[in-house]
Amino acid sequence: MQSKVVIITGGGSGIGKACASTFLARGYRVVISGRRMDRLLEVVGEFKSSSEHLLAVQADVSVEEDAKRIIDATFAKFGRID
């Protein structure tokens, strides 16, 4: 069975980071987004053992083009969104 794919906005810290950790631990494929790529890369580094199941996309979801980029990147890497 293929893992489910989730997108987490604000995934570079706090609740978003905690959600990413929980989903990864349960076998999900996770896309984290946020405005600061440095924070997203820190999260990716912390979950290095799950890196093939994790994608970081710098984006501001209040900007339509950025939101579309998150979706496009998710489909490009994982082929779906659940």
Side-chain angles (χ1 to χ4, degrees):
M1 185 174 111
Q2 189 176 15
S3 298
K4 292 195 175 204
V5 178
V6 298
I7 296 173
I8 300 171
T9 60
S13 63
I15 294 170
K17 180 179 170 183
C19 289
S21 176
T22 300
F23 280 117
L24 286 168
R26 294 185 178 167
Y28 285 70
R29 298 176 194 276
V30 177
V31 178
I32 56 172
S33 70
R35 291 179 288 167
R36 292 188 51 193
M37 192 61 168
D38 59 327
R39 286 189 177 177
L40 297 174
L41 292 176
E42 286 177 18
V43 172
V44 170
E46 288 180 37
F47 301 116
K48 194 174 230 172
S49 64
S50 300
S51 62
E52 76 255 10
H53 297 285
L54 180 62
L55 174 65
V57 180
Q58 183 177 6
D60 179 344
V61 295
S62 69
V63 177
E64 186 175 350
E65 290 85 27
D66 283 8
K68 288 179 182 177
R69 190 162 26 87
I70 297 168
I71 293 167
D72 291 344
T74 301
F75 275 102
K77 174 131 178 141
F78 298 123
R80 62 193 247 186
I81 299 171
D82 296 296

